[in-house]
Amino acid sequence: MSKVLIVGGGPSGLMAAYAASLHGHQVELFEKNKQLGKKLQLTGHGRCNVTNNCPKDEFFKHVVHNEKFLYSSFSKFSNLDMIQFLKSNGLPTVEEDHGRMFPGSNSSQDVVLLFVELLRKNNVTLHMDEECTQLLVEENRIIGIKTNKASYTCDVVIIATGGKSFVSTGSSGDGYEWAKSLDIKVSELFPGLVSLRTKEKFNLAGLSLQNIGIQIKKGKKVLYKELGDILFTHEGLSGPGILAMSSYVINKEPEKIILDLIPNKTIDEVDMLLLERMNHSSNKQLHHILEMMIPKRFAQYMMDQLNTDTRIKANETTKAQRRSISEFLKCCSFEIAGFASYDQAMITVGGIKTNQIQPQTMETKKIKGLKFVGEVLDLDAQTGGYNLQIAWTTGFVAGSTIE
């Protein structure tokens, strides 16, 4: 039996504590907040998108950075295992769009309460409102930690301090600093799953567009190209498609975003479609015809950008004007001013480099008995329950492989 200290009471820390206690170890968990799972309770707008019910191969397609690192750990505890874990402990899940899984109670607090019950049942000692301030290492081996209240000795320390997003929940980047102090390499950090700001100003806030083409460019180089849903904001663009894109390109200095409102047709096909509709309703004002294809507010914005009179009729529209509209619908571009900061980020991109960690155990290669799990690692994924599953998986593996 080993004495195990876990720093951080978020999803990866809770799962690590449970897995370690399940194997008979003496486990103590330290949380700087007065309650466990503070960030976890905010996920899914308080409903907690606990995981995603997709095949393993599909899951890895949604991991943005270092998915291969997860291969061995997923063989020990996968997304399907998490669904079964919740069900067997009295908290069945329900599936929504795109495989997103939520607790049947629709309450993230119930997920936290489940872990609290399991940890107390397994005699895990909870140190609430107690902040770890230092890792104690001797001869490349972890021997304990210091907190703002006392010092503790141990055989194993599992760091589950999260990233730098949602600072209000206590995620202040402590794990990165401890790693650096021990010469454990940390990649550059960026806010992830964030909205972007555009240089152009427009009055489209609140307008959403579904299943449109999203392309990100730096000069002539295409950095990202995918379909997704977007939402215009007062500062720029957000929505699922933008959030998913941000983690791929935020560290690549993107310059331009190009939106394709009719991605299933070429410019020539859009031009012919417009011509057909204009011929069919030749006496109608052009903007009424456009509003049958795209939202009214965007049609107005487009005509303003193209300096086209909103009162012009279809039969008064020139071939050049029609072509300009077709090109705008296929290639509406905005200059990127930047991305939102950590205070709006859902996750952190970057972290402790995976080549510093043993994927089978989550133990560092440099310090015996020291493990890192969850968001503090250089692992991140798209929205849809994937990031939480990474936390569950790495936490379980770290806790269940202690000797």
Side-chain angles (χ1 to χ4, degrees), residues 1-5 20-21 23-28 122-125 153-156:
M1 181 180 73
S2 296
K3 184 176 180 182
V4 183
L5 305 183
S21 66
H23 286 73
H25 300 296
Q26 181 186 343
V27 182
E28 299 186 35
N122 290 0
N123 299 313
V124 174
T125 301
T153 59
C154 65
D155 303 299
V156 176

Side-chain angles (χ1 to χ4, degrees), residues 114-400:
L114 169 60
F115 275 99
V116 171
E117 182 181 345
L118 290 173
L119 298 188
R120 286 180 174 159
K121 181 181 177 181
N122 290 0
N123 299 313
V124 174
T125 301
L126 301 177
H127 297 263
M128 307 307 300
D129 197 21
E130 186 166 356
E131 182 177 359
C132 178
T133 57
Q134 185 181 348
L135 304 183
L136 304 177
V137 177
E138 285 186 3
E139 298 180 353
N140 296 323
R141 181 185 230 3
I142 194 80
I143 62 168
I145 66 170
K146 277 187 179 181
T147 73
N148 57 342
K149 295 181 180 179
S151 295
Y152 303 84
T153 59
C154 65
D155 303 299
V156 176
V157 170
I158 300 176
I159 303 298
T161 48
K164 295 182 70 175
S165 60
F166 286 97
V167 177
S168 62
T169 65
S171 299
S172 52
D174 296 337
Y176 307 126
E177 298 309 313
W178 295 332
K180 290 176 185 177
S181 71
L182 297 171
D183 199 29
I184 297 169
K185 299 186 184 305
V186 178
S187 64
E188 193 172 359
L189 306 173
F190 301 92
L193 297 178
V194 287
S195 58
L196 67 79
R197 300 188 302 275
T198 58
K199 292 181 180 179
E200 295 87 350
K201 303 301 178 185
F202 38 72
N203 186 26
L204 293 172
L207 175 66
S208 61
L209 299 173
Q210 281 74 47
N211 202 39
I212 67 169
I214 300 169
Q215 185 178 150
I216 304 296
K217 297 185 76 173
K218 181 179 182 180
K220 295 183 179 180
K221 184 178 180 181
V222 176
L223 303 177
Y224 179 91
K225 190 174 183 180
E226 194 57 77
L227 296 177
D229 299 345
I230 71 164
L231 173 70
F232 287 91
T233 69
H234 292 290
E235 294 184 320
L237 299 169
S238 188
I242 299 299
L243 300 182
M245 168 276 295
S246 66
S247 295
Y248 285 96
V249 305
I250 195 168
N251 58 344
K252 297 179 180 178
E253 300 179 345
E255 298 172 350
K256 183 182 293 186
I257 179 169
I258 300 170
L259 306 179
D260 182 351
L261 274 70
I262 310 178
N264 61 336
K265 294 184 183 297
T266 66
I267 290 180
D268 288 341
E269 288 171 338
V270 172
D271 205 32
M272 286 302 298
L273 177 64
L274 270 174
L275 179 60
E276 289 172 9
R277 296 196 175 190
M278 290 164 66
N279 286 338
H280 185 265
S281 306
S282 59
N283 284 317
K284 272 191 174 184
Q285 290 184 337
L286 178 60
H287 72 92
H288 287 311
I289 294 172
L290 292 172
E291 287 164 17
M292 297 173 65
M293 301 171 62
I294 56 176
K296 180 178 180 179
R297 290 174 64 194
F298 194 86
Q300 179 65 59
Y301 169 76
M302 179 173 63
M303 295 186 76
D304 289 344
Q305 293 298 111
L306 297 175
N307 295 314
T308 303
D309 190 339
T310 57
R311 295 167 296 179
I312 192 172
K313 290 184 178 182
N315 57 14
E316 298 170 338
T317 306
T318 66
K319 181 179 179 180
Q321 287 174 319
R322 190 184 73 236
R323 187 68 181 186
S324 295
I325 291 170
S326 300
E327 291 174 350
F328 198 99
L329 290 172
K330 290 293 294 180
C331 189
C332 173
S333 66
F334 301 99
E335 297 294 321
I336 296 174
F339 288 86
S341 58
Y342 283 111
D343 60 346
Q344 296 180 40
M346 295 175 67
I347 60 168
T348 303
V349 173
I352 295 167
K353 291 189 175 183
T354 53
N355 63 7
Q356 307 287 291
I357 304 294
Q358 298 283 0
Q360 298 86 0
T361 63
M362 300 299 143
E363 186 175 41
T364 62
K365 295 177 180 179
K366 289 192 173 183
I367 308 297
K368 182 70 174 175
L370 177 61
K371 302 188 177 194
F372 287 90
V373 295
E375 192 178 348
V376 74
L377 294 169
D378 188 6
L379 296 167
D380 65 280
Q382 298 172 356
T383 57
Y386 305 103
N387 287 292
L388 260 182
Q389 184 57 50
I390 291 173
W392 304 129
T393 294
T394 55
F396 182 89
V397 169
S400 61

